[in-house]
Amino acid sequence: MYLQNLRSLDVFKANKVVAREAVPNYIEADFEERLEYYGINPEKFLEVRQDKPAIYNIDLSAAYPTALKNFGLISEKTYKYLMRLDKLDRLACIGMFASRKTVYTIKHGEFMNVETEESEHKNIFYLPAYVTDEIMKNCRLTIGEPDFLFYWFDGVYFTGKRHFKKLEEHLNEVFKMPFKFQKLSKFKAQDTGETIKLEFWEPKKGFKQFALPKKQTLVNINEMIHQAVIK
């Protein structure tokens, strides 16, 4: 999935630069299994109507490179090098460490076996993904359920501007993670059954929309693909 976003050969060069520093400092742990990627408070945000109440967003900036630097997997020099890359190229560079493929063996038209091949250094991606997820969960606790709407990868959405001061303190002093803070407008959320569809306007980027997949939806899709091949 990450290779689809490659827009420059610099991605492969950057991947090698990161590997030279991160592989010798590799951290073994089951980060992938602890990931949630997003959290929702549906009873709250499905009731929100445009601009009532005001909705705010905190987005982490360069979360994955920053986490790698904070945990000592890459140097300040490599961090600055990554920051000169385009955002999507930067993500692709780190995402390549989590490459995975499923190999189906079919002989004479009959399914024989299925194996999943993973990168031996996948945690160079999953460690910063886990750190980002934990920061988002901490933001949720800081905000509190009455004002928390949802978090999605490296962005948290909430009502109540009064929470910003505490969030700023945690992100700067505890997590040492850069971020941007903004007020959204024309926010709309709709439960479509399979996903939660979101629409809103950001101050600089304008209109934005995406859908929060329900976890069971993801499981169903993966199971459908698997069953289609083995039957």
Side-chain angles (χ1 to χ4, degrees):
M1 61 180 285
Y2 297 100
L3 294 181
Q4 293 174 356
N5 290 327
L6 294 185
R7 301 189 298 179
S8 169
L9 291 177
D10 288 342
V11 172
F12 295 97
K13 179 182 176 181
N15 179 265
K16 291 181 180 179
V17 171
V18 172
R20 278 199 298 268
E21 293 186 348
V23 170
N25 299 307
Y26 189 75
I27 299 174
E28 286 283 2
D30 198 3
F31 297 117
E32 182 182 3
E33 291 301 316
R34 303 183 217 171
L35 281 170
E36 295 185 18
Y37 293 113
Y38 69 99
I40 313 174
N41 188 358
E43 293 182 0
K44 174 69 179 179
F45 80 78
L46 286 174
E47 295 176 356
V48 172
R49 294 298 178 262
Q50 292 188 6
D51 304 321
K52 294 181 181 181
I55 295 176
Y56 301 93
N57 160 240
I58 283 181
D59 262 336
L60 304 184
S61 303
Y64 287 22
T66 303
L68 289 175
K69 182 189 70 170
N70 289 347
F71 274 79
L73 270 71
I74 61 173
S75 64
E76 180 71 23
K77 180 180 178 181
T78 296
Y79 174 78
K80 290 180 178 179
Y81 168 68
L82 290 176
M83 294 304 293
R84 292 196 295 268
L85 296 178
D86 178 86
K87 179 180 179 179
L88 291 180
D89 286 351
R90 194 164 59 231
L91 179 59
C93 159
I94 298 173
M96 288 169 67
F97 289 104
S99 63
R100 173 186 295 158
K101 62 181 179 180
T102 302
V103 180
Y104 293 91
T105 302
I106 300 175
K107 187 175 182 179
H108 302 305
E110 293 186 8
F111 170 77
M112 305 296 293
N113 187 36
V114 59
E115 294 180 346
T116 300
E117 298 180 359
E118 295 183 327
S119 166
E120 60 179 328
H121 300 125
K122 64 180 183 178
N123 281 348
I124 297 175
F125 170 80
Y126 285 116
L127 167 62
Y130 172 72
V131 170
T132 300
D133 202 47
E134 288 300 299
I135 292 174
M136 290 291 100
K137 291 175 183 175
N138 180 271
C139 288
R140 179 174 187 168
L141 289 174
T142 301
I143 295 164
E145 291 303 295
D147 288 336
F148 169 78
L149 300 180
F150 68 97
Y151 77 85
W152 175 248
F153 288 91
D154 58 357
V156 61
Y157 299 75
F158 59 97
T159 60
K161 189 176 181 180
R162 64 188 179 278
H163 300 297
F164 174 70
K165 186 175 181 179
K166 195 67 175 178
L167 291 167
E168 180 184 35
E169 178 184 329
H170 285 186
L171 292 170
N172 285 333
E173 299 179 13
V174 179
F175 299 112
K176 303 186 186 305
M177 184 68 67
F179 66 93
K180 68 176 181 179
F181 172 68
Q182 58 187 352
K183 180 181 178 181
L184 308 177
S185 62
K186 299 181 181 179
F187 183 93
K188 182 181 179 182
Q190 179 184 7
D191 189 342
T192 67
E194 292 295 317
T195 64
I196 304 294
K197 183 181 178 182
L198 301 170
E199 298 179 356
F200 52 84
W201 286 77
E202 293 184 343
K204 293 183 179 180
K205 295 183 178 180
F207 180 73
K208 186 174 182 179
Q209 65 177 348
F210 59 92
L212 295 174
K214 294 182 177 179
K215 287 184 174 64
Q216 189 59 46
T217 301
L218 295 177
V219 172
N220 290 343
I221 291 173
N222 290 335
E223 181 63 20
M224 286 170 61
I225 294 173
H226 179 74
Q227 292 299 326
V229 173
I230 66 175
K231 286 184 177 180

